[in-house]
Amino acid sequence: MVEFLTSQLGVSIILALVVIGVMLGSVAYCIFFERKIAGWVQDRFGPNRVGYRGILQSIADGGKLLLKEDVIPGHVDTPLFILAPAIIFLVAFVGFAAIPWGGQLQLGENLVDIQVAKPDIGLLYILGVASIGVYGVVLGGWSSNNKYSFYGGIRAAAQMLSYEIPLGLCILVVVLTMGTLRLESITLQQTEYWGGILPMWNVILHPLAFLVFLITALAESNRMPFDLPEAEQELVGGYHTEYSGLKFGMFLLAEYAHMITASGFIAVLFLGGWHFPWIAWTQPEATAWYAVIAKMLVLAGKITFFIFLMMWLRWTLPRLRFDQLLRLAWKGLIPITLGLFTLAVILVYVGRQQSLPWALLGNAVVLAIVLAAAGLSQVEVTGRQANLPSIRPGPVSTGTART
Amino acid sequence: MILATLEPYAAIGVTILVVMLITAAILVLAHVIGPKRHGPVKDSPYESGMPLVVDTQRRFNVRFYIVALLFLLFDVEIIFLWPWAQVFHHAATDGVTIPLENGGEVGKGFLLVGMAIFLALLVFGLLYEWKKGAFRWD
């Protein structure tokens, strides 16, 4: 038994259970923090009644959702209606399995990886699992047999499909630079230093790719300013209009789980995962239990930062219009990421993929080309096209009142 | 042999099973615990209080189809880039060569030219659709 528990498989399975538990807990508390941050941004208290400063709010919410009626309206397509939240919930929690949590741990004689799964194709696994999520949203919208839900569903489909292309191209930039699809190898390669000081994080090497990836990750997890599929003011609740009780709760939890997965993915791809520079405990050589805990805390800190950033953006930015959203993807992000991909190919070809000056120079060139093209073509990426007639109303006729 | 290649996925399998159990438990619990009251109004779709005019599952804007079609084209092309990126990196950095059927070997230059042609076609397609107005949603 002890042999099994200290082997790679045993550690992986224990870690899988721990990760699911931690995810469920932190997802519930993300909702609480979202409301607290909303209160902070809007200069009010936020939830502060249940427990000390509202700390038990999430538990109260869960209990309330559990005791609510599980309405299955008469007009819905019942099997798909039940399947939709199940799919989105499952997908949101499974994607996290490939994230490397804390390097390696010396356990007796074995050196085990603190990672649930270590497939050769970790990157493709996360991407593939994440794209199944669109089925949950679309099925939920379709089976509800409600016009708001339906529009939410097809909006979600168009949005998630459009943003998957720049997302994939951004990840390809990292793959070309690193030459591997394994998330743990990508983390390891980022633990080196330039000039002995500056960590070799991809965010420093490819800042443009990082920015585009951040935008597409927001869009893929349906967060503000890209939350068109559930836009409350336009579509009531979007694809979950007809859902109530814990089924609605599952959509909500899955959204936050998606945020955590996206943040973990960004942290691993661009910010060195569990690596924190200049501290001995968070280097790959440190394999003692306290070092593993330190690495986990570093990764958790990075994830928390991105979740905070997403919440902050939600309560700061206005929502895009749907045509602006699609135009940003197809006319803005896809050309930019094609340029970044070409840049990465050239850097690898000349053997300078890890050279900071070359990469930054290339990024500057791509940025200059993009800005010049945007300026010359007079196509506003998020506005109306220049050649369309103005919709500004003419002078208002005051006329004379009829007597 | 097959089992050895599947071993990294064992823990993923455990994860999927556990999450499926949790999902099923949530769905069943919510169904059992909550009250059940039905009524003609409650069973009708929520359309902001307006009476229902037509069924939902009918025609919708064709532009959503166009987005789906464009996605299919581009995503299939981008999937092709993934293995290429992997091979190209090792060809360019480690000098790995790819054997051909006629016995010859090709290196990074061949891969670069091939991808340049492919990417040129991709960009040409993008520009063509752009010019045709496929990306106009206003």
Side-chain angles (χ1 to χ4, degrees):
Chain A
M1 192 64 194
V2 177
E3 268 173 39
F4 175 72
L5 286 182
T6 53
S7 71
Q8 178 66 58
L9 190 62
V11 170
S12 295
I13 289 172
I14 295 169
L15 197 69
L17 299 178
V18 171
V19 165
I20 293 170
V22 170
M23 279 284 275
L24 278 170
S26 50
V27 154
Y29 269 88
C30 270
I31 299 172
F32 171 70
F33 284 123
E34 170 103 63
R35 294 178 61 189
K36 270 288 181 196
I37 287 169
W40 173 62
V41 170
Q42 298 173 344
D43 199 11
R44 54 187 173 83
F45 285 120
N48 66 348
R49 288 286 143 184
V50 193
Y52 175 70
R53 298 200 172 198
I55 202 88
L56 298 176
Q57 182 70 40
S58 294
I59 297 165
D61 282 345
K64 187 200 80 172
L65 285 176
L66 186 64
L67 295 174
K68 284 278 175 189
E69 179 178 352
D70 180 31
V71 184
I72 300 179
H75 56 90
V76 301
D77 190 339
T78 314
L80 294 183
F81 189 75
I82 297 172
L83 194 63
I87 288 179
I88 201 164
F89 191 76
L90 184 72
V91 162
F93 281 84
V94 168
F96 217 69
I99 300 275
W101 267 104
Q104 293 182 309
L105 172 67
Q106 188 77 43
L107 209 62
E109 296 150 20
N110 300 341
L111 199 60
V112 292
D113 291 285
I114 300 302
Q115 188 171 4
V116 175
K118 224 180 129 182
D120 308 334
I121 48 158
L123 265 173
L124 273 183
Y125 166 78
I126 293 191
L127 261 190
V129 167
S131 5
I132 301 175
V134 74
Y135 281 99
V137 178
V138 174
L139 282 182
W142 173 262
S143 65
S144 292
N145 208 352
N146 175 325
K147 286 178 203 74
Y148 294 119
S149 304
F150 179 65
Y151 276 111
I154 52 172
R155 274 183 177 191
Q159 173 181 335
M160 290 167 101
L161 297 187
S162 298
Y163 279 84
E164 214 165 283
I165 299 167
L167 185 82
L169 280 169
C170 273
I171 298 172
L172 272 169
V173 171
V174 174
V175 172
L176 270 170
T177 311
M178 300 283 167
T180 177
L181 295 174
R182 284 175 174 271
L183 287 163
E184 68 273 11
S185 312
I186 289 175
T187 311
L188 269 182
Q189 288 192 36
Q190 293 181 73
T191 57
E192 321 251 319
Y193 294 91
W194 284 296
I197 308 169
L198 206 56
M200 272 195 184
W201 290 359
N202 283 327
V203 63
I204 304 171
L205 204 61
H206 287 291
L208 274 181
F210 169 75
L211 268 182
V212 177
F213 189 88
L214 194 61
I215 295 170
T216 51
L218 276 175
E220 284 284 312
S221 46
N222 293 331
R223 290 289 297 182
M224 260 314 191
F226 306 109
D227 69 338
L228 273 297
E230 46 178 293
E232 300 94 336
Q233 291 84 353
E234 303 163 29
L235 296 178
V236 188
Y239 55 87
H240 53 59
T241 302
E242 291 287 333
Y243 285 92
S244 59
L246 262 184
K247 284 206 193 71
F248 169 71
M250 283 165 88
F251 275 115
L252 205 62
L253 291 180
E255 187 191 326
Y256 286 92
H258 260 296
M259 278 169 64
I260 296 179
T261 313
S263 307
F265 206 26
I266 299 175
V268 170
L269 281 184
F270 287 97
L271 280 120
W274 40 257
H275 176 246
F276 194 87
W278 319 303
I279 294 179
W281 282 13
T282 60
Q283 302 308 320
E285 300 82 39
T287 52
W289 60 272
Y290 49 84
V292 169
I293 290 176
K295 287 173 183 176
M296 284 181 176
L297 286 179
V298 167
L299 182 59
K302 287 173 184 173
I303 292 175
T304 312
F305 169 74
F306 280 110
I307 289 174
F308 172 72
L309 188 72
M310 286 177 173
M311 291 177 177
W312 187 13
L313 286 176
R314 169 166 180 188
W315 297 103
T316 308
L317 294 177
R319 185 181 295 132
L320 265 70
R321 212 170 55 212
F322 200 67
D323 63 306
Q324 294 173 334
L325 175 102
L326 288 181
R327 197 180 300 141
L328 177 64
W330 289 96
K331 294 186 179 175
L333 297 182
I334 290 178
I336 293 175
T337 44
L338 278 172
L340 289 172
F341 177 76
T342 315
L343 166 71
V345 169
I346 293 170
L347 286 179
V348 172
Y349 187 77
V350 298
R352 308 281 175 151
Q353 72 273 12
Q354 300 281 26
S355 149
L356 188 57
W358 280 67
L360 288 184
L361 184 70
N363 268 287
V365 169
V366 171
L367 188 65
I369 292 172
V370 166
L371 290 181
L376 288 176
S377 65
Q378 291 188 323
V379 175
E380 293 175 46
V381 169
T382 55
R384 285 175 60 80
Q385 286 185 330
N387 55 357
L388 287 178
S390 166
I391 54 162
R392 187 168 295 137
V396 178
S397 158
T398 46
T400 45
R402 210 163 49 175
T403 47
Chain B
M1 186 59 212
I2 292 175
L3 273 180
T5 51
L6 281 180
E7 207 195 321
Y9 297 93
I12 290 184
V14 173
T15 313
I16 292 176
L17 273 181
V18 171
V19 180
M20 271 171 119
L21 278 179
I22 294 174
T23 314
I26 289 176
L27 285 173
V28 169
L29 266 183
H31 195 72
V32 171
I33 292 180
K36 279 170 202 63
R37 296 182 206 96
H38 282 277
V41 177
K42 198 170 176 178
D43 279 353
S44 66
Y46 176 78
E47 311 239 315
S48 295
M50 303 291 281
L52 192 61
V53 184
V54 284
D55 189 60
T56 300
Q57 292 170 357
R58 59 212 311 267
R59 290 190 288 183
F60 58 90
N61 201 321
V62 71
R63 294 182 220 180
F64 287 106
Y65 284 112
I66 296 176
V67 171
L69 274 177
L70 291 178
F71 166 75
L72 267 186
L73 296 177
F74 277 92
D75 208 46
V76 169
E77 283 166 346
I78 281 161
I79 284 169
F80 179 63
L81 297 182
W82 284 79
W84 178 86
Q86 184 81 304
V87 173
F88 180 70
H89 178 91
H90 291 294
T93 52
D94 314 334
V96 177
T97 52
I98 296 105
L100 293 179
E101 275 182 18
N102 61 11
E105 283 185 336
V106 290
K108 58 177 184 175
F110 180 83
L111 288 170
L112 185 75
V113 171
M115 185 43 68
I117 296 168
F118 181 77
L119 214 61
L121 284 174
L122 185 74
V123 171
F124 176 75
L126 186 75
L127 291 177
Y128 177 76
E129 281 152 5
W130 196 324
K131 211 68 194 165
K132 273 282 181 187
F135 303 140
R136 282 185 56 175
W137 290 282
D138 47 0

